[in-house]
Amino acid sequence: MLRDRTDTRAALWRVASGQRGYFTSAQALQIGYSYQAQRYHAQRGNWQLVDRGIYRFREFDTLPGGEDDHLVRWALWSRWRAIVSHTTALSVHDLGTANPAEIHLTVPPGFRQKGGLVILHRAELAQDEIEEREGYRVTTPVRAIVECAEASVDQDAVDSAVAEALDRGLTTRRVLLHAAQRLGARAELGTERALQAAQ
């Protein structure tokens, strides 16, 4: 019996390790933890209850982590439908001066969940506009820049992101302009201004 419990914990640990220590109630249930067992582990402090139906192994508090660990929580909350975007994506890519107080996520148009701690944007993203990270997905540097321009984010933040993306060879002027054109006039205007400032 002890070995079964150890095997079950090891299986859940493997899942959580790829998600920065986070896991869902549904994932725990699939591995073999009943809802009663889940409540027990949360009450004992073995698992931290992060949000409704989302836990984290307490050991991950003492392990070295990244500044973006918390973004995994929102991927799980959205059942993998949310993509980190806008100024939050610029921050993930370490582009420019954007330092968002809120977390920006892009979700499909039919997405129904609401999160008071996040700002949701609705759009269908192409696969080439998304990058995979450990435990979550984020819009590419190019998409992050043009969606910030389209959303009329502070022009200085867009300017600095464009300048750094060009300096680091992450994109070209032509690619940025093409991506902005796909999003519309506001994205084009903000991107063109940033490109002029970068000359």
Side-chain angles (χ1 to χ4, degrees), residues 1-197:
M1 185 68 179
L2 181 60
R3 182 173 178 180
D4 288 346
R5 284 201 298 268
T6 302
D7 290 347
T8 304
R9 186 181 191 282
L12 185 58
W13 183 270
R14 281 192 297 275
V15 169
S17 292
Q19 299 171 169
R20 316 282 181 98
Y22 294 95
F23 56 93
T24 65
S25 177
Q27 288 174 325
L29 187 67
Q30 188 173 20
I31 286 169
Y33 286 96
S34 66
Y35 291 121
Q36 183 180 355
Q38 292 179 34
R39 280 193 299 275
Y40 168 81
H41 283 290
Q43 288 167 356
R44 290 292 300 266
N46 300 329
W47 302 352
Q48 296 170 336
L49 180 62
V50 176
D51 200 345
R52 184 178 175 185
I54 300 175
Y55 298 98
R56 194 179 197 204
F57 276 114
R58 63 179 171 78
E59 290 89 344
F60 276 79
D61 275 348
T62 58
L63 293 174
E67 291 180 9
D68 58 346
D69 280 3
H70 65 288
L71 298 175
V72 179
R73 167 212 178 155
W74 297 107
L76 294 173
W77 167 81
S78 71
R79 298 188 181 124
W80 304 107
R81 289 173 290 174
I83 314 295
V84 174
S85 63
H86 292 77
T87 50
T88 310
L90 289 183
S91 181
V92 167
H93 294 300
D94 196 22
L95 282 175
T97 58
N99 187 19
E102 304 92 358
I103 294 169
H104 291 260
L105 303 172
T106 294
V107 294
F111 189 80
R112 295 279 177 254
Q113 284 175 258
K114 293 181 181 176
L117 301 175
V118 292
I119 295 175
L120 300 179
H121 305 268
R122 285 176 169 74
E124 292 288 355
L125 297 175
Q127 282 304 309
D128 64 356
E129 296 176 310
I130 301 168
E131 286 184 7
E132 297 283 340
R133 295 293 174 105
E134 185 184 11
Y136 70 95
R137 295 180 294 165
V138 61
T139 54
T140 62
V142 169
R143 172 71 194 202
I145 288 168
V146 298
E147 65 195 3
C148 284
E150 193 272 334
S152 300
V153 165
D154 177 64
Q155 188 64 44
D156 287 342
V158 178
D159 291 354
S160 61
V162 165
E164 287 187 22
L166 293 172
D167 282 349
R168 286 160 52 185
L170 298 177
T171 187
T172 65
R173 292 171 177 271
R174 185 175 173 183
V175 169
L176 275 171
L177 279 173
H178 179 68
Q181 287 166 358
R182 285 167 54 186
L183 278 187
R186 275 194 313 195
E188 273 190 88
L189 181 60
T191 304
E192 284 172 359
R193 284 176 177 164
L195 288 169
Q196 287 169 3

